[in-house]
Amino acid sequence: MGSCVAPVSLLARNRPICAFRLPRSALYLCVMDRLIITGGRKLNGTIAVSGAKNSALKLMAASLLTNEPLTLSNMPNLADTRFLSQLLGVLGVEVFWPKGDSECRLNAAELTSTIAPYEQVRKMRASFNVLGPMLARYGHATVSLPGGCAIGARPVDLHLKALEALGADLKVEEGYVKAAAIHGLKGAQIVFPFVSVGATEHAMLAATLAKGETVLENAAREPEIADLADCLNKMGAKVSGAGTATVRIEGVERLNGTQHAVMADRIETGTYAMAAAAAGGDVVLEGAPVAALGAMIAAMKEAGVKVDSDEAAATIRIRRNGLALNAVNINTQPYPGFPTDLQAQFMALMSLADGTSIIRETIFENRFMHAPELSRLGADIQVRGQEAVVQGVAGLKGAPVMATDLRASVSLVIAGLAAEGETEISRIYHLDRGFERLEEKLTGCGADIKRLSDTEE
Ligand code: UD1
């Protein structure tokens, strides 16, 4: 992200100033809201889990594959999903998604452009996934290279190699990928050298309309991939094996519209589970994707948190009342391993454990930016390359901190809830990318958390 980040010199007296003038449509990026958390309160109550951001974004891209409407329910209202709906609008997709509504209707009957501009794509990496569907349906597409969270280089080489294997001619010029497949895409065997969620999804989307069979080997197995495959199959695609390391896609001539409910957000679920564990209390997460959270549940239990999950009822109950937390070591891994998107939150929890925990990040190269911010609250964390050594402390103390990326920012919320006194988190536009009604959900469980807005135009 960082598209509207005020230089430090402009952050006078804790009052962030928007340094750039942007069109009105982009204004909400410039709302430099802050969260004020008064910590030390236990959380008690229920939290309803929202639809998964990471699933919703790929499902929205799937709308480009058909000239019939795709209706998505359980849509999370987030900055990221709204960004993508703006980009789809720029391409000529009719988007009917009233503010705050959880149902979104996308009709790509006729695109007016197959060019996804820098201005839209740079704000969010997942926008890059519009390339494959447009290429598959129209035989050409031009998409800006993406931006996204500042968590390492995050190239798109695997996406491009997959599209090339499907027969696309690609040129990268002036920051844009120009893709053509005049005679359509052709099925291929694609062996990914390492696991990539985005590249697996991108290849899957494009291959649905390719001629013949595509086999993806060493595919990512994340639950969001199975959710995308479910929706594509309802649209008339022939995808099998999604959720395993080998995905087969038999190309079809055309796809139809359908209705699909976005799966529940496993990262949001895990985040609130850790918030309840860190602050203490008794919280039930409703509509939780229990089966998708095995690694997180195991780590929480090892830490001594009481976790009762019920897959049939889709609930996870988290209890911690006064008991010490055990230190647990984790390595982030592709699914079904411990998710990188819960690493920062787990670090916040481990900063309160009894002992030393080693947290290894194996997916992204620069994903410990939350460590120095957690240290401002009194956490004892040493980062050594891809490893963070977290020496648990007896308690945290509130302090002003700054959000640096989406998941990092919510780790600061967790720490703030557990800390004594007031924590002020700035740059929370990162948080708004991925957490729907966060203050409302936490306040409903007794948290003291307020949003302050400083809007500058
Ligand atoms: C997705 C998720 C993100 C999550 C990540 C890993 C969405 C919108 N985002 O991101 O929240 O943290 O999966 O679970 O679904 N890589 C390359 N070349 C490529 C593609 C990826 O080198 O072409 C590298 C990345 O830099 C990273 C690793 O592969 O180091 C895994 O990335 P990937 O699984 O592709 O993550 P995303 O799809 O971007």
Side-chain angles (χ1 to χ4, degrees):
M1 284 284 289
S3 47
C4 186
V5 175
V8 175
S9 58
L10 290 174
L11 301 176
R13 277 184 252 110
N14 268 341
R15 191 155 189 281
I17 296 167
C18 176
F20 307 99
R21 196 163 272 280
L22 286 176
R24 255 195 179 279
S25 60
L27 185 64
Y28 62 101
L29 248 194
C30 276
V31 178
M32 293 294 198
D33 289 0
R34 290 169 287 151
L35 283 184
I36 310 288
I37 302 174
T38 306
R41 292 178 166 220
K42 287 198 157 107
L43 301 180
N44 287 292
T46 56
I47 295 179
V49 175
S50 295
K53 169 184 86 79
N54 286 354
S55 201
L57 294 170
K58 320 306 163 63
L59 293 164
M60 291 171 82
S63 71
L64 293 164
L65 289 164
T66 172
N67 60 0
E68 294 179 16
L70 173 65
T71 303
L72 299 172
S73 56
N74 201 32
M75 276 289 288
N77 277 281
L78 298 167
D80 272 13
T81 45
R82 293 284 168 183
F83 273 145
L84 187 54
S85 69
Q86 275 176 25
L87 169 60
L88 293 174
V90 167
L91 301 173
V93 179
E94 240 179 73
V95 182
F96 182 73
W97 191 11
K99 198 166 177 248
D101 213 333
S102 64
E103 187 170 285
C104 165
R105 189 171 179 270
L106 302 160
N107 187 352
E110 229 169 293
L111 293 191
T112 49
S113 165
T114 53
I115 302 173
Y118 173 68
E119 195 47 48
Q120 260 79 29
V121 182
R122 78 190 168 105
K123 290 174 189 158
M124 187 188 51
R125 183 179 162 84
S127 331
F128 190 66
N129 279 36
V130 301
L131 175 61
M134 289 196 294
L135 177 64
R137 183 164 154 210
Y138 286 91
H140 57 88
T142 298
V143 175
S144 164
L145 287 164
C149 273
I151 52 174
R154 300 188 83 178
V156 285
D157 53 328
L158 298 188
H159 297 238
L160 300 183
K161 281 187 184 132
L163 294 176
E164 262 175 341
L166 292 170
D169 258 335
L170 301 180
K171 273 195 218 130
V172 180
E173 275 174 9
E174 295 157 351
Y176 279 79
V177 178
K178 298 180 179 171
I182 303 163
H183 304 295
L185 296 175
K186 285 202 184 79
Q189 190 186 21
I190 299 168
V191 183
F192 292 110
F194 53 89
V195 171
S196 161
V197 177
T200 302
E201 291 165 330
H202 209 162
M204 221 165 87
L205 284 161
T208 55
L209 291 178
K211 288 189 196 87
E213 191 187 51
T214 297
V215 182
L216 308 179
E217 304 275 13
N218 199 23
R221 290 179 282 165
E222 268 63 7
E224 293 76 18
I225 291 170
D227 197 30
L228 176 61
D230 277 355
C231 177
L232 290 170
N233 286 338
K234 287 191 223 167
M235 293 167 74
K238 292 187 178 159
V239 182
S240 59
T244 74
T246 306
V247 181
R248 288 175 194 279
I249 306 120
E250 183 63 46
V252 295
E253 284 274 308
R254 62 177 300 278
L255 294 176
N256 48 263
T258 194
Q259 301 211 348
H260 183 80
V262 179
M263 71 171 283
D265 197 317
R266 63 195 168 99
I267 304 304
E268 189 200 22
T269 310
T271 299
Y272 290 127
M274 288 180 208
D282 185 346
V283 171
V284 176
L285 301 161
E286 286 181 339
V290 176
L293 281 160
M296 185 284 292
I297 292 173
M300 296 280 275
K301 284 185 174 168
E302 203 183 328
V305 178
K306 202 151 173 20
V307 184
D308 295 298
S309 55
D310 183 334
E311 199 174 328
T315 57
I316 301 180
R317 182 174 179 192
I318 302 290
R319 276 177 288 172
R320 183 176 158 243
N321 280 307
L323 290 175
L325 289 165
N326 306 319
V328 176
N329 301 335
I330 56 153
N331 286 351
T332 62
Q333 294 289 346
Y335 188 83
F338 192 94
T340 174
D341 285 351
L342 285 174
Q343 178 259 107
Q345 298 88 316
F346 198 70
M347 190 184 288
L349 183 65
M350 286 298 100
S351 69
L352 290 161
D354 193 4
T356 309
S357 138
I358 314 260
I359 296 183
R360 287 197 71 233
E361 173 57 52
T362 73
I363 310 286
F364 291 109
E365 62 188 30
N366 185 20
R367 208 174 200 187
F368 284 140
M369 286 177 297
H370 43 284
E373 297 302 309
L374 289 171
S375 299
R376 292 176 58 81
L377 298 168
D380 180 349
I381 304 168
Q382 303 296 322
V383 173
R384 302 184 198 134
Q386 294 299 90
E387 206 168 85
V389 181
V390 186
Q391 178 63 53
V393 294
L396 298 173
K397 279 221 168 97
V401 288
M402 193 172 73
T404 49
D405 73 45
L406 169 54
R407 308 305 176 186
S409 53
V410 88
S411 76
L412 301 175
V413 173
I414 293 174
L417 290 169
E420 195 185 293
E422 194 175 282
T423 295
E424 179 178 321
I425 309 177
S426 55
R427 298 195 181 177
I428 58 162
Y429 51 82
H430 289 295
L431 203 63
D432 294 335
R433 290 186 47 207
F435 290 91
E436 188 179 50
R437 295 181 286 108
L438 174 117
E439 304 97 279
E440 190 187 314
K441 290 187 183 191
L442 287 170
T443 308
C445 289
D448 185 342
I449 174 164
K450 283 189 266 316
R451 178 180 290 248
L452 297 184
S453 290
D454 295 287
T455 311
E456 301 276 339
E457 218 179 327

